Amino acid sequence: MHLSQLAAASLIASASLPQVSSFALSRSNFISQISLLSFAAQRSNASNTECNASSTDKEATPPLSQMYDAQYPGTAVQRLKAVHERVKVIAADGTLNGPWEEARRRILWAGGLRDLPDAAPGAGYTGHSFNDWNHVDLTTMNDEIADNQNDGSVKGIAVGNRLGNGIRVASLPELGSGGSWSTCAMGCNQDPPNDVAHIQFRSRIAFKLVWVPNEQYDTFVLVDDDGKLLAKGKPSDGPDALPHLRERMMNFKIMEGSKYASVAEQIAKET
């Protein structure tokens, strides 16, 4: 029986005694029982507070289904979600329609990557990221996957393809565990995709940059792993400031016919 119930039962028993013996309950005993009731109430409140705190802590920890991707277990799921939140920011703040280099730096930031144009290749260099036809997949991979190598399964990519050190140097830590990298998109037009993200790192992409096949290839979209539109931009400094036209055309060519090209194709039809 709970302490408060015991105290209450004692008081009831005392109250039911004959009138002649009502003084048998001394003043000190009465005060003791009142103190017992107060103590029990305080303990009950404390217990409730502790239970509530425990419940909140459990809710703060995402369920396993939100932390693990069964199809692509190399995905740093929470980091991917954080990237998507940042993409919402750059989709709304207008920077993707500003000068290309500024837009590119914002894309790096959204993807959880540092802008390191002067670093050595393999040591965090990101000057090539989103600046050619191929390095346009923003991939978020778990820490233990970052050192994975290409065993030859990703066609057209060097066997080995050691990226782990560069990933650790260039990844912004505030987006959560795991790392980010601008991996090669070659092979993404297959179903399922046969590119570096999905094969070497066994990871989904957070987003992919695709150039729209309009007359000047001067507009780009960011799409997620399902090919859904996340953001769109048309840099203000014009085609001459963008990666070379051949790069932009080749970028769309390797996507053509896949889910990743659908949004870009639709925009091109409407312009």
Side-chain angles (χ1 to χ4, degrees):
M1 183 180 292
H2 196 277
L3 286 176
S4 60
Q5 292 175 313
L6 285 171
S10 178
L11 285 176
I12 291 170
S14 298
S16 64
L17 291 174
Q19 185 68 29
V20 67
S21 60
S22 62
F23 291 100
L25 180 62
S26 69
R27 182 174 180 274
S28 62
N29 285 342
F30 180 77
I31 291 173
S32 296
Q33 293 191 36
I34 293 298
S35 298
L36 182 60
L37 278 172
S38 176
F39 174 76
Q42 291 173 3
R43 291 299 298 161
S44 178
N45 288 339
S47 177
N48 287 340
T49 301
E50 291 168 2
C51 288
N52 288 338
S54 175
S55 176
T56 301
D57 290 343
K58 288 179 181 178
E59 290 174 3
T61 303
L64 184 61
S65 61
Q66 294 181 21
M67 300 175 66
Y68 177 75
D69 188 317
Q71 186 175 3
Y72 291 105
T75 308
V77 176
Q78 292 300 304
R79 189 175 181 88
L80 183 149
K81 291 177 182 293
V83 168
H84 284 173
E85 290 303 310
R86 283 194 170 186
V87 171
K88 290 178 183 178
V89 174
I90 64 173
D93 68 7
T95 55
L96 297 183
N97 295 318
W100 165 244
E101 273 306 316
E102 181 181 341
R104 193 183 73 87
R105 282 192 290 270
R106 290 291 280 169
I107 293 170
L108 288 171
W109 171 83
L113 282 173
R114 294 182 171 93
D115 179 28
L116 299 175
D118 299 320
Y125 175 71
T126 55
H128 66 308
S129 301
F130 309 104
N131 236 353
D132 63 14
W133 62 274
N134 198 19
H135 295 91
V136 294
D137 283 357
L138 194 288
T139 304
T140 57
M141 67 287 288
N142 290 322
D143 289 321
E144 62 271 20
I145 300 297
D147 288 306
N148 277 19
Q149 298 180 38
N150 176 31
D151 62 4
S153 297
V154 186
K155 304 304 179 184
I157 303 299
V159 173
N161 195 32
R162 300 171 185 268
L163 300 175
N165 184 56
I167 291 169
R168 285 184 283 273
V169 171
S171 294
L172 296 170
E174 62 265 28
L175 270 71
S177 62
S180 298
W181 196 246
S182 55
T183 56
C184 295
M186 178 189 295
C188 71
N189 61 337
Q190 299 181 40
D191 187 15
N194 192 61
D195 52 32
V196 169
H198 295 89
I199 301 301
Q200 181 173 336
F201 292 112
R202 300 172 66 207
S203 172
R204 294 186 190 276
I205 59 165
F207 63 78
K208 182 190 299 288
L209 186 149
V210 186
W211 289 99
V212 174
N214 56 17
E215 184 176 354
Q216 295 187 309
Y217 285 78
D218 59 356
T219 301
F220 66 86
V221 292
L222 302 181
V223 298
D224 68 10
D225 199 57
D226 293 321
K228 295 178 181 177
L229 179 66
L230 298 176
K232 173 185 172 184
K234 183 177 181 180
S236 60
D237 43 2
D240 290 342
L242 304 177
H244 195 279
L245 177 60
R246 287 193 302 270
E247 302 281 346
R248 301 183 330 256
M249 294 176 70
M250 185 65 176
N251 166 267
F252 177 76
K253 187 67 176 177
I254 66 168
M255 318 283 179
E256 195 170 12
S258 76
K259 59 185 177 181
Y260 301 118
S262 298
V263 170
E265 289 170 339
Q266 185 59 40
I267 292 173
K269 291 177 182 177
E270 295 170 355
T271 56

